[in-house]
Each structure stands twice: as C-alpha cells, then as structure tokens.
Amino acid sequence: MLELISKGKDRGQIAHELFIEIETVKTHIKNIYLKLNVNSKSDAIRVAKSNRLI
C-alpha cells in the first residue's frame, strides 16, 4: 500500500489495482498513518523511506 501511495496512485487506483473496495484502502491508509505516527501522505512517504519500508 505504501509503495503504491509513494508512486502517486490515488485511493481509487489502489483499490482497482489490488481488487479491493475504496473503503478498505481508506482503512488501511488510516492504520498506516497511525502506526507511522503521521498525518499526511508526504509525511508517511518520508517516514517509510527513512525507515526503509519502501
């Protein structure tokens, strides 16, 4: 999910690519933000790259 976000894909594109509902994508993104302790897409990407998650 983080990899797709970092490639600039929006929620709809991620849902289509992973064959899941948009609401599921929103839930996963919310949980990722909570675990990384961030509030934005750019912060999530920065933290993920600095921790070598992507």
Side-chain angles (χ1 to χ4, degrees):
M1 188 86 41
L2 274 170
E3 182 106 16
L4 295 172
I5 292 169
S6 71
K7 290 180 180 179
K9 304 229 178 198
D10 65 25
R11 292 175 180 160
Q13 292 169 324
I14 293 170
H16 180 74
E17 190 166 324
L18 298 179
F19 305 104
I20 57 177
E21 296 292 325
I22 291 176
E23 288 302 316
T24 305
V25 174
K26 288 179 185 179
T27 300
H28 284 307
I29 291 172
K30 181 179 81 171
N31 289 332
I32 288 168
Y33 286 10
L34 287 171
K35 288 180 181 183
L36 294 178
N37 196 28
V38 297
N39 294 314
S40 69
K41 185 188 314 186
S42 60
D43 286 343
I45 293 168
R46 180 183 47 78
V47 170
K49 284 184 177 182
S50 69
N51 289 313
R52 295 184 179 186
L53 299 173
I54 55 173

